[in-house]
Amino acid sequence: MAESLDAFRSEVRAYLEANCPPEMRQPFQSEDDAPWGGRNFKWSAPQKAWLDAMAAKGWTVPTWPTEYGGGGLSKDEAKVLAEEMRRIKARPPLQSFGIWMLGPALLKYGSHEQKLEYLPPIARGEIRWCQGYSEPGAGSDLASLKTRADDHGDHWVINGSKVWTSYADQADWIFCLVRTDFSATKHNGISFVLFDMASPGVSTKPIKLISGYSPFCETFFDNVKVPKSQLVGELNRGWDIAKYLLTHEREMIGAMDTGGSGPGLGQLAGKLIGADADGRMNDPILRGDIVRADMDGLAFMLTMERVKDEAKAGQGVGALSSMLKYYGTELNKRRQELFMSVRGSDGLMWEGEESRNGAQPRNWLRSRANSIEGGTSEVQLNIIAKRVLELPGA
Amino acid sequence: MALVLTDEQAMIRDSADGFFAEKAPVSELRRLRDARDEVGFSRELWKAMAEMGFAGILVPEDQGGVGLGYVAAGLVQEAIGRNLTLSPMLSTAVLGATAIIAAGTGEQKAALLPRIAAGDLLLALAAEEKSRHTPNQVETRAEPSGNGFRLTGRKSFVLDGHVADKLIVVARTDGEADDTKGLTLFLVDRDAAGVTVDRTVMVDSRNAARVTLDGVQVDGADVLGEVGGGWPVLERVLDAGRACLAAEMLGLSGESFRQTVDYLKQREQFGVKIGSFQALQHRAAHLFCEIELVRSATLRALQALDEGGNAALFVSLAKGKASEVAKLATNEAVQMHGGIGMTDEFDIGFFMKRARAAMETFGDGAFHSDRMARLMGY
């Protein structure tokens, strides 16, 4: 096993060395560098070369089966690939909600035909997906969603609207929760459907956030025709898929920009604020706040590691994605507050090159949404109370 | 190293859990407290712990121990924490054994380690002089005398000092009061001439002692480690104790949380179980997360000690975080139990008392936060 892994590592190393363009071996400079893919994406030449090289091996989605465009790698092999990419500081060749969210759901709930149709274009970065979950009247209470799909024989007609649809204005297709049974209890009448955003009757409108960015949209459906073959899983069982997907989303959000992986807040503060002869940063109370956040960050990072290791060893408890989502996002918000404190008035700069167009305050503001999107912190605590602690009436 | 228990470690955990739940549950702490027991723990229990291999858990096999390392020692301490067991495990099996393994000569190891493992020798670390943990603040002096030294000074918070056969005394052979250089460790018989031990009964029903050294004569063979080079050994010993205290606090936090969640499912007010109130659910769920973080940090710290390198960062993370969370867990436990949580008849208060004492032992959240920040360079 170890020997074959070593052989695999040499193979990966040689391939990456030969195929990863130098431009793709440095961190993203801006949001524009993110390789989202899709029909309208403008690939730079190195981005395209890197994508094609990785997609040829199935390594944009290393653990997916090869027949669906994946690399068919074991978890250990995928880890080797990730390590080797990190070693040369290679960027991910492709990132998308197709890879992170829809793919895992289709692999679990989709038919063989659906997998063949939808997964390879995701792996090759040809189709960009968005997620149609929240609605104006269905946020934390997602299952009360009202977008309706009326049965018209061989197709449905969809009417309603979604909100907080990430990048809906740039997406090619949507995976969407719709109500297909109007008499059932709220969790039991929901279905999970896929359709083209270019379908007649679909429109989007970006939402400008407090950060000044517009990563989300309102999305409207006005008599949109959707063939019945585009239903995933069973009719009226879409909530199961939604929950499964939300688990993935939580893990993703919880793992973003957190404690241990973040830049050294204390080191930055020591540099900007100064230190005494013993090397202790000058503002002792702020220093205390920073180190508490660093400790929680490191303990959180170790917990993510432990959860992974326990899962591998077949141990561990359920509903941990809620714990990671809750703690990771709250921690990130705390860290962003501390970054603002450390930078003082410099952190208030909203425009201009010096402040990279207000990156600090915009990141701080953006991070406020971490504990709202993908299920609020309060919803995560509800889930822990119910599923882990088994408290009554939760 | 993966952050999971090996099969062997999982077995140790299960056998320690079973042993302490049966032989030394919280009711035993209550009995010893109410009896105002002079020893403060059951010597019979300590013998049984030695037979289980717990007393010699760090002692190598060729010295009569089981040599299972710090992760295993932490699992025993966690079970001790869950049951609030009174025993000299920390003072002797962790602190004492670590000191002798780290700094002892061949003769010292051969003479002392097998007796520790057999449960026949009790040790106590006499390091502290201030009421808040500052291990470098040592005024106790060791002046050269004959072929050895004469020790003069006062030590406080000497855990199990009232019953220890030998004290490990930290004294200054050189330097100023807060220098880390110039410290030396000495092995001193408790009944040596010039040693006075005053037992102090603490809030957690454990015993510590004030030790006065009045010109105590020791010879060269009683020096543990190098003269003037005691600081790194002391740090190693303290870090071992801190990580094991983190494990103990993990155990007591987890158990007080378990009992509290049970109570939330039973107690009714306003015609419903109080556990159905979201105000309590969210606090309980938050506490669950915090305890999970302590579990990860503690395991990592114990693994770092087993790896043998510098474990300071992970140890301070574990001890600091475990202290803060033990405080939260036990305060929430009392609050959520309401009035009954304030009664002596009910056990939950014992958990809060032990949490506070364990926090104050070898540095609380503030001490270890400061140490973390320094280790991280700010």
Side-chain angles (χ1 to χ4, degrees), chain A residues 266-267 279-280 287 291-292 294-296 302-303 306 309-310 323 326-327 378 382 389-390 392 394, chain B residues 2-4 265 276 278 281-282 286 288-290 292-293 295-296 317 321 324 369-370 373-374 376 378:
Chain A
Q267 288 84 342
R280 282 186 174 89
R287 175 176 179 263
V291 72
R292 299 286 170 133
D294 271 348
M295 290 171 81
D296 287 346
L302 291 169
T303 301
R306 180 168 65 84
D309 289 343
E310 283 176 348
M323 174 181 84
Y326 163 67
Y327 212 97
E378 290 72 22
N382 286 345
L389 306 180
E390 300 178 331
Chain B
L3 276 172
V4 284
K265 293 175 186 174
S276 66
Q278 204 173 38
Q281 288 179 352
H282 282 192
H286 173 76
F288 167 81
C289 298
E290 293 285 16
E292 288 295 310
L293 261 66
R295 178 171 298 286
S296 318
L317 174 66
K321 185 75 189 156
E324 293 298 307
S369 299
D370 178 66
R374 275 186 289 128
M376 290 189 291
Y378 62 90

Side-chain angles (χ1 to χ4, degrees), chain B residues 10-27:
Chain B
M11 273 170 58
I12 295 163
R13 179 195 58 199
D14 294 345
S15 76
D17 277 352
F19 177 86
F20 289 106
E22 190 205 322
K23 307 263 184 190
V26 183
S27 56

Side-chain angles (χ1 to χ4, degrees), chain B residues 80-340:
Chain B
I80 284 175
R82 262 195 291 278
N83 294 284
L84 299 178
T85 301
L86 299 170
S87 86
M89 180 77 196
L90 182 71
S91 60
T92 298
V94 176
L95 301 171
T98 298
I100 291 159
I101 291 166
T105 60
E107 288 87 45
Q108 286 168 334
K109 287 179 182 169
L112 303 176
L113 291 178
R115 293 177 59 209
I116 291 177
D120 292 337
L121 178 75
L122 296 179
L123 295 171
L125 178 68
E128 307 272 9
E129 298 184 4
K130 303 284 176 224
S131 49
R132 266 188 74 76
H133 181 61
T134 34
N136 54 318
Q137 291 262 340
V138 175
E139 288 174 30
T140 296
R141 307 222 47 111
E143 310 282 353
S145 161
N147 73 337
F149 295 86
R150 279 168 66 87
L151 308 183
T152 304
R154 297 164 70 83
K155 295 288 179 183
S156 56
F157 204 31
V158 179
L159 302 173
D160 294 332
H162 64 304
V163 286
D165 302 301
K166 277 184 187 293
L167 306 170
I168 297 170
V169 175
V170 182
R172 189 165 287 291
T173 40
D174 198 8
E176 300 300 316
D178 60 355
D179 283 352
T180 52
K181 283 186 189 144
L183 296 178
T184 306
L185 273 53
F186 296 93
L187 285 161
V188 178
D189 284 338
R190 188 177 55 111
D191 52 14
V195 176
T196 315
V197 176
D198 294 314
R199 174 184 171 215
T200 47
V201 178
M202 314 299 268
V203 66
D204 59 345
S205 308
R206 272 131 176 106
N207 296 283
R210 284 200 200 91
V211 174
T212 309
L213 303 155
D214 185 10
V216 177
Q217 182 69 42
V218 292
D219 71 38
D222 299 321
V223 173
L224 187 58
E226 282 173 35
V227 173
W231 178 251
V233 180
L234 179 60
E235 281 242 286
R236 172 81 181 168
V237 173
L238 290 172
D239 275 345
R242 287 159 176 158
C244 287
L245 280 161
E248 185 185 337
M249 286 189 279
L250 170 65
L252 76 87
S253 300
E255 177 60 18
S256 76
F257 181 61
R258 190 191 65 74
Q259 292 186 14
T260 302
V261 170
D262 276 357
Y263 187 73
L264 295 180
K265 293 175 186 174
Q266 289 161 18
R267 170 76 172 167
E268 290 189 9
Q269 287 288 278
F270 306 103
V272 293
K273 309 277 190 222
I274 61 172
S276 66
F277 296 134
Q278 204 173 38
L280 299 182
Q281 288 179 352
H282 282 192
R283 278 160 53 187
H286 173 76
L287 184 51
F288 167 81
C289 298
E290 293 285 16
I291 293 171
E292 288 295 310
L293 261 66
V294 172
R295 178 171 298 286
S296 318
T298 300
L299 179 56
R300 188 67 191 83
L302 293 162
Q303 286 182 346
L305 286 167
D306 280 333
E307 286 159 11
N310 188 349
L313 184 84
F314 287 122
V315 167
S316 274
L317 174 66
K319 179 62 167 66
K321 185 75 189 156
S323 296
E324 293 298 307
V325 172
K327 178 168 62 179
L328 178 68
T330 54
N331 273 283
E332 288 287 62
V334 170
Q335 177 67 21
M336 290 188 192
H337 277 88
I340 199 174

Side-chain angles (χ1 to χ4, degrees), chain A residues 50-197:
Chain A
W50 179 220
L51 171 74
D52 289 343
M54 290 296 274
K57 286 276 194 186
W59 289 352
T60 56
V61 283
T63 58
W64 292 9
T66 49
E67 62 178 323
Y68 306 134
L73 302 189
S74 68
K75 274 189 185 160
D76 286 334
E77 287 170 332
K79 207 173 141 205
V80 167
L81 173 60
E83 283 165 5
E84 288 302 312
M85 285 175 67
R86 251 198 317 275
R87 197 182 64 85
I88 61 164
K89 300 192 173 65
R91 291 181 190 177
L94 183 62
Q95 64 178 43
S96 78
F97 298 124
I99 294 177
W100 297 327
M101 300 172 75
L102 177 64
L106 276 180
L107 284 168
K108 188 169 165 74
Y109 294 97
S111 66
H112 178 61
E113 291 71 26
Q114 286 173 332
K115 291 176 194 171
L116 279 180
E117 182 172 352
Y118 297 113
L119 293 178
I122 292 175
R124 293 191 299 266
E126 292 163 1
I127 294 294
R128 180 169 179 182
W129 288 84
C130 64
Q131 170 184 257
Y133 272 30
S134 298
E135 296 183 3
S140 285
D141 183 15
L142 180 61
S144 70
L145 59 91
K146 291 194 170 62
T147 291
R148 57 188 296 140
D150 288 287
D151 193 332
H152 284 238
D154 65 342
H155 66 274
W156 284 296
V157 171
I158 295 183
N159 280 287
S161 65
K162 295 284 175 184
V163 72
W164 309 124
T165 330
S166 303
Y167 305 110
D169 54 339
Q170 293 161 62
D172 305 311
W173 276 62
I174 187 167
F175 50 96
C176 195
L177 295 177
V178 294
R179 189 158 298 283
T180 39
D181 185 337
F182 307 97
S183 55
T185 57
K186 65 180 180 180
H187 293 96
N188 291 314
I190 295 171
S191 296
F192 189 97
V193 296
L194 315 174
F195 55 93
D196 195 324
M197 290 291 279

